Amino acid sequence: MEVKKYEEVHFVDSTRAVWNYSFFTEDDIRNFQHGTHYRLYDLFGSHEIEVLGKKGYYFAVWAPNATAVSVIGNFNDWNPTSHPLFVRLDKSGIWEGFIPNLPKGEVYKYHIDGFKGVKTDKGDPYANFWEKRPNTASITWNLDYTWKDAGWMDTRGHHNSLEAPCSIYEVHLASWMRPDKHDEESYNTYDQIRDLMVPYVKEMGFTHVEFMPVMEHPFDGSWGYQGTGYFAPTSRFGDPQSFMELVNAFHEAGIGVILDWVPSHFPYDAHGLFMFDGANTYEYADMRKGFHPDWNSYVFNYKRGEVKSFLISSARFWFDKFHIDGIRVDAVSSMLKLNYSRTHGQWEPNEYGGDGNIEAITFIKDLNETMYRDFHDIQSIAEEATDWPGVSRPTFQGGLGFGMKWMMGWMHDTLDYFKMDPIYRRHYQNKFSFSMMYYYDENFLLPLSHDEVVHGKSPMIFKMPGDEWQKFANLRTLYTYMFTHPGGKLLFMGNEFGDTNEWNYKSELQWDLLKFDSHRMLKDCVRDLNLLLRNEPAMYENQFNIYGFEWVDLNHTAECVVAYRRKGKNPENDLLIILNLTPVVRHDWKVYTHGKSQWREVFNSDDKRYWGTGNVFNPEISTRSLDKNDNMYEINVHLPPLGAIVLK
């Protein structure tokens, strides 16, 4: 059934500065209020249209506690009386109208006469483009763009599958590289980032990039995690079309794009969502739920249908309009728990007496069901740090519906282990092996993220014990362990070449370190681990099920030698990984395993190409049959110091 335009059904009074006009149907309003409208970006905000032969922009904003709302900008000298919007008579709290002759690129805000006479000037919550900070107005724009990534979009279900290799390069766009590393105000544009980063990520062999929040945000020091523009890529680097070009270029290079997305909290900036119309419109009114003590920010009211519709529409927007391949949902733990970072008296139990935020749990489940229903070939990833059950299990099995969950326990235990002087490691092998005890509870992603190289935690290379050679050897072995452990992988930018500074968002990575062999060759090691991951089916085909991993030797605690097997669907592809976690060379080391009689070394972290000694390797590997009935063999190998070898 063809939907008639508003002006074909209603009289439009074209004598006023703002014409009466509406995009909304009764169904839209009902779904918006019930928290089940997930395409609000097509209705709210500013939209370029033509009415009665006049081009201009239609505006719609939700301000349920307002007594008047007008559009202000340079075009009317910021006069709050000249362009008033019409309030809908259905008590939906929506204000709307069409302003003729308003061009693309105009700055604007909503002037709101709000609750108890409070007057505020707010940016558009649904704007697609904002002024570059410190300016705070929204900009009339469109999202016209001709995509050229059909090849990727048609086949991305294969690349984003849980049975495909997943190695994510986590990036903060501003500080990856700058025109002037000493000037925090100097930014590469999206176009420059595209020309520099796409070939680098491709050469390094990562399967995906993950951008720390690109959604518009006022304060650089929040790294994007306190946002004001849930429907706009930041203008720091250019316009929305330039960001589309960046995503498109990654897709044409065969690389997926994941965005960090923050539905947990928002800042109190005057132009943002806080007290939007003089009352708690987007946030809980009860500050035991509505204020976030850790981040001095405000928590979305997940109980309110209009807010739930807003948030799920935001997530859907990035998949729909920007072709992204996944979202990594930040701070899920803080949403799930009413007592997160709160002590006795600072929180109130739910209606059943528990500490779960019931409406937030419902929101998360609806979010994931909607994303996977509408975009079946994407991934939704949870950054969640508690033992909440079933985070990455389908909702029909009682889970939260994410595709993957960050494995924080693995990260903590592994870093604790590798920070230790090798002389003490014999006493802590359980730190090393414990991850597989609970590994099958979730679809886990192994993160060595930005959180591990800030706030005095030290860069990766200086977490490692020993002299310079040992630090690099330890780090290469840690990365080999990470890449050969089941699950997805995530490495923060700079970790791949051993940045010697903590991450500083005001500067850039220490690219000049690549003139030193140790750093350049570490980067080559990470590249080859990525290629190993992509080229060896045993590394990914069964990465989330019990058939993909087997401990081969955990019995040499005193020597700190560990062996395990990675298994694909075809036993011929099995890999044997042996880690020697002390600086002692071990010649003629015996490993006992069943199945294959012939093995060859396909990776050695001590290779000269990676700044290793290159002295201990296995050009030929002798095996001896021990039990023909059980198909058991003794494998004889040489193990490099603080090294890892992979056999096939």
Side-chain angles (χ1 to χ4, degrees), residues 349-356 358:
N350 64 33
E351 61 220 66
Y352 304 108
D355 62 1
I358 290 166

Side-chain angles (χ1 to χ4, degrees), residues 164-168 205-207 482-490 526-541 543 566 575 603:
C166 174
S167 173
I168 300 168
F206 289 99
T207 64
M482 173 185 180
F483 273 85
T484 55
H485 188 291
K489 333 283 177 217
L490 178 138
V526 171
R527 177 201 63 206
D528 288 356
L529 285 168
N530 269 323
L531 296 177
L532 186 75
L533 172 68
R534 296 175 75 136
N535 294 334
E536 295 295 343
M539 296 269 263
Y540 57 81
E541 284 180 342
Q543 63 187 333
R566 290 300 310 279
L575 298 176
F603 180 86

Side-chain angles (χ1 to χ4, degrees), residues 96-372:
E96 60 185 349
F98 172 74
I99 301 180
N101 304 317
L102 195 66
K104 177 181 165 186
E106 280 286 338
V107 297
Y108 71 96
K109 283 187 177 180
Y110 295 115
H111 177 80
I112 300 171
D113 289 340
F115 187 64
K116 290 188 175 173
V118 172
K119 292 186 185 333
T120 56
D121 292 340
K122 292 288 189 179
D124 188 340
Y126 291 88
N128 299 141
F129 197 23
W130 291 68
E131 286 186 295
K132 186 174 169 185
R133 62 104 187 93
N135 296 328
T136 56
S138 306
I139 302 174
T140 57
W141 206 253
N142 64 44
L143 294 177
D144 297 345
Y145 178 73
T146 304
W147 288 91
K148 305 171 281 292
D149 63 348
W152 169 268
M153 296 298 283
D154 290 345
T155 60
R156 72 172 179 177
H158 168 71
H159 299 284
N160 295 331
S161 157
L162 291 174
E163 292 185 0
C166 174
S167 173
I168 300 168
Y169 187 54
E170 186 193 24
V171 174
H172 178 257
L173 283 180
S175 60
W176 183 74
M177 195 179 281
R178 290 183 190 269
D180 178 358
K181 67 180 175 184
H182 303 297
D183 179 10
E184 62 180 291
E185 290 299 316
S186 85
Y187 296 109
N188 283 315
T189 64
Y190 287 123
D191 294 342
Q192 290 166 321
I193 293 167
R194 182 191 71 219
D195 293 343
L196 293 165
M197 193 186 292
V198 174
Y200 179 79
V201 175
K202 187 171 176 65
E203 177 221 335
M204 285 300 295
F206 289 99
T207 64
H208 294 73
V209 286
E210 179 181 313
F211 298 149
M212 291 164 68
V214 296
M215 297 81 191
E216 195 56 82
H217 54 282
F219 176 49
D220 289 23
S222 79
W223 311 335
Y225 290 101
Q226 296 206 12
T228 46
Y230 277 70
F231 296 83
T234 176
S235 55
R236 285 167 176 80
F237 318 114
D239 62 29
Q241 280 78 5
S242 299
F243 183 64
M244 291 170 170
E245 276 285 332
L246 177 61
V247 175
N248 188 88
F250 272 114
H251 285 172
E252 289 189 308
I255 297 161
V257 178
I258 298 165
L259 299 187
D260 275 12
W261 182 68
V262 190
S264 43
H265 63 122
F266 57 87
Y268 52 80
D269 293 75
H271 65 287
L273 298 175
F274 177 60
M275 298 291 282
F276 189 75
D277 52 13
N280 305 109
T281 311
Y282 284 90
E283 68 274 14
Y284 286 111
D286 181 347
M287 286 298 124
R288 288 175 299 179
K289 285 170 93 168
F291 180 71
H292 209 300
D294 281 5
W295 302 312
N296 207 22
S297 57
Y298 292 85
V299 180
F300 284 104
N301 182 351
Y302 307 108
K303 196 166 193 172
R304 193 160 195 174
E306 295 93 340
V307 174
K308 186 168 159 248
S309 292
F310 168 83
L311 285 170
I312 297 183
S313 290
S314 167
R316 198 182 184 288
F317 169 80
W318 297 97
F319 289 109
D320 185 13
K321 301 294 187 185
F322 286 87
H323 286 204
I324 67 163
D325 301 284
I327 49 172
R328 175 266 199 185
V329 182
D330 183 62
V332 173
S333 310
S334 74
M335 298 160 66
L336 295 173
K337 296 269 198 175
L338 291 166
N339 56 357
Y340 184 89
S341 282
R342 290 179 171 87
T343 55
H344 185 70
Q346 294 179 326
W347 66 284
E348 190 178 35
N350 64 33
E351 61 220 66
Y352 304 108
D355 62 1
N357 184 335
I358 290 166
E359 55 254 28
I361 295 164
T362 302
F363 157 72
I364 289 169
K365 289 180 176 182
D366 286 355
L367 166 77
N368 285 320
E369 285 176 4
T370 303
M371 295 311 109
Y372 281 114

Side-chain angles (χ1 to χ4, degrees), residues 626-643:
L626 295 180
D627 184 338
K628 282 199 168 132
N629 292 334
D630 199 23
N631 216 3
M632 180 64 80
Y633 292 90
E634 175 191 271
I635 302 168
N636 191 341
V637 287
H638 309 309
L639 303 181
L642 293 172

Side-chain angles (χ1 to χ4, degrees), residues 421-422 461-462 464-475 583 611 642:
D421 187 307
I461 191 67
F462 291 144
M464 301 295 116
D467 59 23
E468 187 187 27
W469 187 89
Q470 289 188 341
K471 285 186 193 312
F472 278 92
N474 267 301
L475 192 53
W611 211 59
L642 293 172

Side-chain angles (χ1 to χ4, degrees), residues 417 425-426 429 552-563 579 582 586 589-592:
Y417 182 89
R425 287 178 180 170
R426 59 193 296 178
Q429 183 171 291
V552 170
D553 185 0
L554 281 176
N555 299 325
H556 289 88
T557 313
E559 297 93 339
C560 299
V561 174
V562 175
L579 308 178
T582 63
R586 304 199 184 275
W589 186 266
K590 309 287 190 288
V591 178
Y592 301 95

